[in-house]
Amino acid sequence: MVTNKFDYIRAESVDDAITLMVKHGMDAKLLAGGHSLIPAMKLRLNAPGVLIDIRKIQELRYIKKDGNKLVIGAGATHHDVATSELAHQTYSMLPEAADLIGDQQVRNMGTIGGSLAHADPAADWPGVMIAAGASVHLKGPDGERSVPAEDFFTGFYMTDLQENELLTAISIPLPPEGTRSAYKKFMQPASRFAIVGAAAAVTVKGGKIERVKVGINGLADAAFAAGNIEKALVGKEPTEANIDAAVEGTGADAMVMADHFASEEYRLHLAKVYAKRALMAATQ
């Protein structure tokens, strides 16, 4: 299908993009990779009057260490993360998740910031960022602020982004020694979106789990931290029996989605299976 008529403006900087958003208000949309927005426009599910292109803003595209954190610019592509040695050294689940996103074109054009801001419940990055203990950095006309990833996703395609704010970066604390991670998902074969995905970051010291964080996506209307698993595993040995017991209640309190791909019952089953797979991969 063909989109509605719209005006196109290329922003020269982050501040320029914010100025343009303020000027054009609710009629404007930001264009980063475009692999979510453009299909929605073609289906007439979204009809902005103005597209503000932020793809060429170089200050948004980087991956670097800053003190005790890994910082990823919102304009970094999935391919950038997949091939980043810094990302791999910090959490192996970062390039692992990036490699599982879409096809080569999507990975080359799609951006991590665009994915997080879009907040598709089946997207991979929200669960991974929750497991990594990441914070999302936002900038708007009133200044800058930071939101923990665990609080950023508020509902179905909904986030804590306020009007005229731009997602500029994601910061991830460097993990303690003895930490390993993994991301596993049951994917829809055509789109490669997660029907259910699970990211796990586990710190083992002295043969026992000292710290664990699990993010689940695809199960509910927004990605969330599986607190039941964290409580059940801290202080325990990373055995398969302990992991089996810990994942048993995964998603029990969530508003589980159901569609033509999977029923509620099946998604809950998948949540346990893939949480276990991620934890086993991160501990064995």
Side-chain angles (χ1 to χ4, degrees):
M1 292 183 66
V2 179
T3 67
N4 287 318
K5 184 179 179 180
F6 60 89
D7 293 328
Y8 170 87
I9 307 171
R10 176 175 288 177
E12 301 298 328
S13 66
V14 170
D15 289 339
D16 185 33
I18 293 169
T19 299
L20 289 168
M21 284 193 290
V22 172
K23 178 181 178 180
H24 294 284
M26 298 296 290
D27 200 34
K29 286 286 184 182
L30 294 175
L31 175 67
H35 280 275
S36 296
L37 178 59
I38 299 301
M41 291 173 63
K42 286 184 174 182
L43 292 170
R44 304 293 178 95
L45 298 174
N46 211 320
V50 180
L51 278 188
I52 302 170
D53 190 344
I54 61 173
R55 290 178 297 174
K56 300 297 184 181
I57 300 178
Q58 287 303 307
E59 63 185 289
L60 289 176
R61 188 171 181 177
Y62 61 87
I63 299 175
K64 65 182 183 181
K65 276 189 179 179
D66 184 5
N68 63 347
K69 294 181 180 180
L70 176 74
V71 185
I72 304 174
T77 65
H78 309 309
H79 176 75
D80 290 340
V81 181
T83 56
S84 168
E85 186 61 29
L86 281 177
H88 181 79
Q89 290 170 0
T90 304
Y91 280 113
S92 61
M93 65 182 171
L94 296 172
E96 187 178 0
D99 262 336
L100 293 173
I101 294 173
D103 55 24
Q104 186 173 345
Q105 183 180 10
V106 171
R107 293 191 293 274
N108 285 342
M109 292 292 291
T111 65
I112 189 169
S115 177
L116 292 171
H118 187 58
D120 190 318
D124 303 299
W125 286 127
V128 172
M129 290 305 162
I130 287 171
S135 292
V136 178
H137 299 278
L138 314 171
K139 186 174 183 179
D142 298 325
E144 300 180 51
R145 65 191 183 101
S146 178
V147 181
E150 196 167 334
D151 300 327
F152 183 66
F153 308 101
T154 58
F156 193 64
Y157 291 97
M158 296 174 63
T159 71
D160 192 46
L161 261 172
Q162 302 301 306
E163 186 176 354
N164 299 323
E165 277 190 327
L166 174 66
L167 196 159
T168 58
I170 306 97
S171 63
I172 300 169
L174 300 182
E177 186 178 349
T179 300
R180 294 181 62 190
S181 65
Y183 177 66
K184 304 295 179 183
K185 72 174 177 179
F186 183 74
M187 69 175 73
Q188 202 282 336
S191 68
R192 290 169 62 90
F193 274 108
I195 293 176
V196 169
V202 186
T203 305
V204 177
K205 288 189 178 180
K208 293 188 177 181
I209 296 174
E210 183 180 79
R211 173 181 170 270
V212 58
K213 194 79 172 177
V214 177
I216 304 291
N217 47 277
L219 181 68
D221 61 352
F224 63 93
N228 65 300
I229 295 176
E230 298 163 22
K231 292 177 183 177
L233 284 180
V234 171
K236 302 283 184 65
E237 294 180 357
T239 64
E240 184 172 2
N242 285 337
I243 290 172
D244 274 332
V247 302
E248 187 56 37
T250 304
D253 298 329
M255 296 290 290
V256 181
M257 295 192 299
D259 52 30
H260 57 288
F261 295 125
S263 65
E264 290 184 24
E265 183 181 13
Y266 188 43
R267 271 194 164 87
L268 280 170
H269 170 71
L270 289 174
K272 298 174 188 178
V273 170
Y274 281 83
K276 176 182 176 179
R277 290 186 182 184
L279 287 161
M280 292 292 289
T283 55
Q284 306 302 316

